[in-house]
Amino acid sequence: MLRTATLGNDGRVIALGWKDGTVSRFHAIWLRDNALDDKTRSAGNGQRLITILDIPAETRIGAAEIKGGALEVTFAPEGKTVRFSASWLRAHAYDRKEAREPGWTGGGIERWTKATMQNSVPRAAYADASRDSNVLRQWLAAVRSFGFAVMDGLPTESGALCKVADLFGYIRETNYGRWFEVRAEVNPNNLAYTNLGLQAHTDNPYRDPVPTLQILACIENTVEGGESSVVDGFAVAAALQSENPDGFRLLSSYPARFEYAGSSGVRLQSKRPMIELGPDGELICIRFNNRSLAPAVDVPFAEMDRYYATYRRFAELIEDPAFEVTFKLEAGQSFIVDNTRVMHARKAFSGSGKRWLQGCYADKDGLLSTLAAIEHGFKEAAE
Ligand code: NM2
Ligand code: OGA
Ligand code: ZN
């Protein structure tokens, strides 16, 4: 698929022509730094053995050739020749034509609403996921794409939710414990531990970094009410952005403040926006929690009115039933949310019966790593 290789700017740049007619330019210094030979990278663990200072600043490509479908380049002044496979070059091309709009997402992220999700909630039985890596792969891939999945068939005993985390990584312990009991308590240190309804929210926005995954598992649920729901924060953010681009700018460019000081010895505080964009405009995190939002002090006076109007509109969209997927957890059922993206809520409950959930946090980077490793294994097996 690699057709042509043309040097430019005295060998500081190379333009690669592909079979489909597209061209990807690469810089000599970039190619040198990313060389894959065993003097540059450890053959064992793939880590880079050299530093940027080991590469001459004036690095150029002295000669380039397409050989057996791969690119072979000789760097000057080192006189070092290395090969790059066409597929590697294609996968790592950075010469993009289109600029990306703020709020973009990549990585197979699929936004959802009630209409697209309510009747196709990703789900697996614990017994299947723990035995069959193909089931686990699909379940983890659903968490990656949708930020949400259900797992059922858990033992209805204390601590069973840890089994879910064990499938892909590690629990993130916090001041709430390795896991926490979610049930109505006397003198609760958090409103989650009452029978009140909870507006859709992300957990622990007062922590920095936030816990990136949350698992909630049900041990007993015989009350009236107490239904769960989830809302795709990325879908809501996109809706807000399209109807009110300036409001989106306000929520994404000014920090909000979050605080939790509900138990003694704990005073957590953070300063982060409700809608967080990465340095390249990628939508990376939603923080939304009415209970722990602290006074906003980083929004200019002249914009505070509009900031609040947008916060209100964001909340209205979050509560719009068109975005809400609802279900009632039964004993042995659990769900996981990407806490940087998907909000969860519960309806108030009362009356006779008992509602006992347990929750814990875990890390998304570990989940994605486990998923990538399983996918890598599948790919190698297929080759
Ligand atoms: N709990 C359940 O972020 C929050 O404060 C929501 C968290 C207490 C660990 C509740
Ligand atoms: C929580 C929470 C929801 C529920 O514990 O963080 O939001 O269904 N609980 O009790
Ligand atoms: Zn919560």
Side-chain angles (χ1 to χ4, degrees):
M1 61 202 230
L2 198 50
R3 275 268 177 87
T4 59
T6 316
L7 294 179
N9 194 12
D10 209 16
R12 286 180 189 86
V13 172
I14 188 167
L16 302 181
W18 302 96
K19 201 173 156 201
D20 64 6
T22 60
V23 173
S24 315
R25 294 167 300 170
F26 291 87
H27 292 87
I29 192 74
W30 187 99
L31 285 169
R32 174 64 192 93
D33 190 36
N34 291 299
L36 298 156
D37 65 287
D38 62 7
K39 297 269 185 314
T40 305
R41 284 194 179 262
S42 160
N45 59 37
Q47 290 201 278
R48 187 182 279 96
L49 294 159
I50 62 166
T51 79
I52 183 64
L53 302 180
D54 293 318
I55 304 172
E58 67 278 16
T59 289
R60 292 176 299 107
I61 298 169
E65 215 183 320
I66 296 167
K67 259 196 189 166
L71 177 71
E72 197 172 281
V73 294
T74 302
F75 295 106
E78 288 178 280
K80 182 181 176 67
T81 300
V82 296
R83 282 171 74 83
F84 296 92
S85 74
S87 57
W88 187 92
L89 289 163
R90 188 82 171 176
H92 294 88
Y94 58 90
D95 189 10
R96 258 177 232 101
K97 302 280 172 299
E98 357 55 85
R100 293 190 274 211
E101 293 300 316
W104 66 274
T105 49
I109 300 294
E110 292 180 53
R111 289 175 175 74
W112 49 266
T113 61
K114 182 189 184 74
T116 63
M117 179 60 97
Q118 183 71 59
N119 297 317
S120 54
V121 167
R123 161 189 314 271
Y126 174 71
D128 298 337
S130 59
R131 267 198 302 261
D132 182 342
S133 62
N134 200 28
V135 173
L136 180 60
R137 178 178 63 88
Q138 288 177 34
W139 189 79
L140 297 175
V143 180
R144 181 176 57 192
S145 302
F146 306 114
F148 163 64
V150 167
M151 183 159 286
D152 47 30
L154 284 170
T156 52
E157 60 194 35
S158 179
L161 78 174
C162 302
K163 293 177 183 289
V164 180
D166 288 344
L167 290 172
F168 60 78
Y170 305 93
I171 286 176
R172 174 163 165 197
E173 202 166 335
T174 68
N175 59 293
Y176 296 111
R178 196 170 148 67
W179 74 75
F180 38 86
E181 311 296 338
V182 183
R183 53 189 171 190
E185 287 177 359
V186 191
N187 292 327
N189 67 21
N190 193 296
L191 292 171
Y193 305 153
T194 64
N195 63 357
L196 298 172
L198 302 175
Q199 185 192 34
H201 62 279
T202 61
D203 262 41
N204 292 207
Y206 40 76
R207 242 179 258 289
D208 195 354
V210 298
T212 45
L213 294 172
Q214 181 178 22
I215 299 165
L216 277 169
C218 176
I219 299 178
E220 207 178 331
N221 193 5
T222 53
V223 294
E224 283 288 313
E227 295 85 358
S228 307
S229 56
V230 287
V231 177
D232 181 2
F234 282 7
V236 174
L240 180 75
Q241 184 177 24
S242 74
E243 69 172 43
N244 184 0
D246 195 58
F248 184 85
R249 175 189 66 81
L250 293 169
L251 294 195
S252 61
S253 59
Y254 290 121
R257 300 278 182 142
F258 299 94
E259 267 173 28
Y260 171 80
S263 47
S264 69
V266 183
R267 299 194 78 82
L268 288 156
Q269 302 180 318
S270 74
K271 172 181 174 242
R272 291 279 168 179
M274 291 195 206
I275 299 175
E276 187 176 11
L277 304 180
D280 56 356
E282 182 178 8
L283 179 55
I284 54 175
C285 190
I286 303 295
R287 291 179 183 76
F288 193 83
N289 190 316
N290 67 300
R291 287 162 282 147
S292 51
L293 184 67
V297 290
D298 305 285
V299 180
F301 183 86
E303 307 220 81
M304 188 60 87
D305 266 344
R306 268 174 291 146
Y307 183 88
Y308 255 87
T310 311
Y311 170 37
R312 173 183 299 278
R313 183 60 187 146
F314 195 34
E316 282 171 356
L317 289 168
I318 287 165
E319 294 201 359
D320 183 337
F323 284 108
E324 188 185 40
V325 167
T326 52
F327 50 96
K328 185 161 180 172
L329 281 179
E330 287 168 23
Q333 294 185 329
S334 71
F335 68 92
I336 186 168
V337 284
D338 177 342
N339 190 51
T340 69
R341 168 180 175 188
V342 172
M343 288 164 276
H344 58 285
R346 78 151 181 246
K347 302 277 184 275
F349 58 94
S350 63
S352 59
K354 186 171 157 192
R355 188 178 190 272
W356 180 19
L357 269 54
Q358 291 184 326
C360 72
Y361 302 116
D363 294 318
K364 186 168 70 160
D365 57 357
L367 182 150
L368 296 177
S369 161
T370 300
L371 173 57
I374 297 172
E375 288 176 336
H376 187 72
F378 271 66
K379 226 179 281 163
E380 281 192 332
E383 270 163 15

